[in-house]
Amino acid sequence: MKKGCAIVLILAACVAAAAFFFGPQLVETGLRFLYPKPYGELVAREAAEFGLEEHLVYAVIKTESGFDEDAQSHADAHGLMQLTQPTFDWMAELHPPENGGGDIFDPGDNIHCGCALLRLLLDHYGHLEVALAAYNAGMGNVDGWLQDSAYSQDGETLHTIPYPETAAYVEKVQRAYHIYQRLYPAAETG
């Protein structure tokens, strides 16, 4: 056997051994990097105020903006939780931010109003999937879908979401939510 081949085999064996012994920790570390928990104090405070699971709030923020507080969408939504100005103003009127501010790009104001909206939608619809669809597509669209047997058999849940972007959004948030739940057990929340 040539010396070069022996070195490659030794390196491959070392990599395989490292993956065997440290693989789960490396995977978890990588996932925690991809699914971080920035704005911890803000998220904890606002989630508690509105009776939301922090994991869900993080999943929405990650999906909406990737934690970019300056994010702006093609639909003219802004900030961490991607709220349109009219929706932000509506939530700020119903639930004024603690600092009295009204800056859609301020992380505290944005998370506060985003959590207020998420709570309103969960209370209104009673089903996470439907609330997330409304967060993305708007209550008017979702109310129409719930009244249409092509999308809802019971008027409360959706068996089909007709907007591909909204269907993908709901799946993406739910996937992130489950990843956050697995990565950060309840004892680590907060």
Side-chain angles (χ1 to χ4, degrees):
M1 182 183 294
K2 294 186 178 182
K3 188 176 182 179
C5 288
I7 292 173
V8 168
L9 286 175
I10 291 171
L11 286 174
C14 289
V15 167
F20 177 77
F21 289 109
F22 301 110
Q25 292 88 359
L26 289 174
V27 169
E28 184 173 322
T29 299
L31 282 173
R32 284 181 183 236
F33 177 76
L34 294 172
Y35 292 84
K37 290 176 54 176
Y39 308 101
E41 188 177 309
L42 287 172
V43 170
R45 182 183 71 222
E46 300 305 334
E49 179 176 342
F50 292 102
L52 299 169
E53 244 188 284
E54 289 178 38
H55 300 315
L56 177 59
V57 177
Y58 278 116
V60 170
I61 295 171
K62 174 162 179 48
T63 303
E64 287 288 350
S65 68
F67 300 101
D68 177 3
E69 62 191 55
D70 297 319
Q72 296 185 58
S73 76
H74 66 279
D76 206 28
H78 307 285
L80 291 167
M81 295 191 77
Q82 288 293 280
L83 302 169
T84 62
Q85 192 66 52
T87 300
F88 178 83
D89 293 342
W90 177 39
M91 289 299 105
E93 186 177 316
L94 289 175
H95 303 280
E98 289 81 4
N99 66 5
D103 181 358
I104 199 167
F105 288 104
D106 176 77
D109 292 350
N110 192 279
I111 291 172
H112 177 83
C113 290
C115 285
L117 176 61
L118 195 51
R119 176 80 271 155
L120 180 141
L121 296 172
L122 286 166
D123 290 346
H124 182 75
Y125 293 108
H127 298 278
L128 178 59
E129 181 181 89
V130 180
L132 291 173
Y135 195 100
N136 181 263
M139 293 177 77
N141 287 320
V142 170
D143 288 346
W145 300 340
L146 289 172
Q147 294 173 12
D148 187 333
S149 62
Y151 309 120
S152 176
Q153 294 174 342
D154 59 10
E156 295 180 15
T157 58
L158 296 167
H159 60 76
T160 303
I161 297 174
Y163 291 0
E165 178 184 325
T166 299
Y169 170 83
V170 169
E171 286 183 31
K172 193 172 180 182
V173 173
Q174 288 181 316
R175 184 173 42 252
Y177 180 38
H178 294 303
I179 290 171
Y180 273 105
Q181 288 175 317
R182 282 195 312 264
L183 281 177
Y184 303 98
E188 293 183 39
T189 305

